[in-house]
Amino acid sequence: ELMLRCSTEPFDHAQVLKDWKADNDSFHDANRLSNSDGCFIATNGANNVAFFATSDARLKKDVSPLAGALDKVCQFNPVSFTWKENNEDATGFIAQEFASVLPQFVNQTDDGVSELAEGQKPWAMTESGMVPYLVQAIKELKADFDAYKATHP
């Protein structure tokens, strides 16, 4: 899925992709696809693609440690499933469930692909937003384990 915006606001993925393809003969012709939100997609022309989002400390304020990450991670409900569209097996999350834990990483948008009833938009999510929670949860578990080891030699 091609996403060009760093935002939780809904946008039309299908239209963004259509507009981008209209300006580029093929994906391999663009080494870097940027937008005005400080995000870009880069490719080396060999089907390797990376999405980058600005993370510069100079652009941030009110920075504080992430608290309660382990509690959030324990609410994640990873599932295995089969896509109706192509019968392919996959793993992931149910966006509607995930929205109750970390709503900033979930939205409803027209992906231009999903077959839903007229007027219904599929739920979408970005899993990369959970990485800081996973890292912090590991750190919390390690601190708990280290405290346990110190009292139980």
Side-chain angles (χ1 to χ4, degrees), residues 50-127:
F51 176 78
F52 293 86
T54 301
S55 187
D56 192 312
R58 298 170 296 179
L59 302 173
K60 299 175 182 181
K61 65 180 185 176
D62 303 328
V63 175
S64 61
L66 189 58
L70 184 56
D71 291 336
K72 294 280 188 192
V73 169
C74 286
Q75 294 178 60
F76 295 173
N77 182 30
V79 296
S80 62
F81 58 91
T82 302
W83 288 108
K84 291 179 180 179
E85 181 177 52
N86 57 16
N87 277 333
E88 287 187 21
D89 292 333
T91 58
F93 300 92
I94 304 299
Q96 291 90 329
E97 294 175 3
F98 202 85
S100 67
V101 181
L102 294 172
Q104 65 270 34
F105 302 120
V106 178
N107 74 35
Q108 284 184 276
T109 184
D110 183 3
D111 63 4
V113 177
S114 299
E115 296 180 17
L116 296 175
E118 184 67 32
Q120 291 185 338
K121 294 183 179 182
W123 288 67
M125 62 180 286
T126 176
E127 294 175 351

Side-chain angles (χ1 to χ4, degrees), residues 13-28:
H13 295 197
Q15 187 60 47
V16 168
L17 182 57
K18 180 179 175 187
D19 293 345
W20 184 72
K21 283 184 175 179
D23 294 334
N24 297 278
D25 291 336
S26 75
F27 190 75
H28 300 295

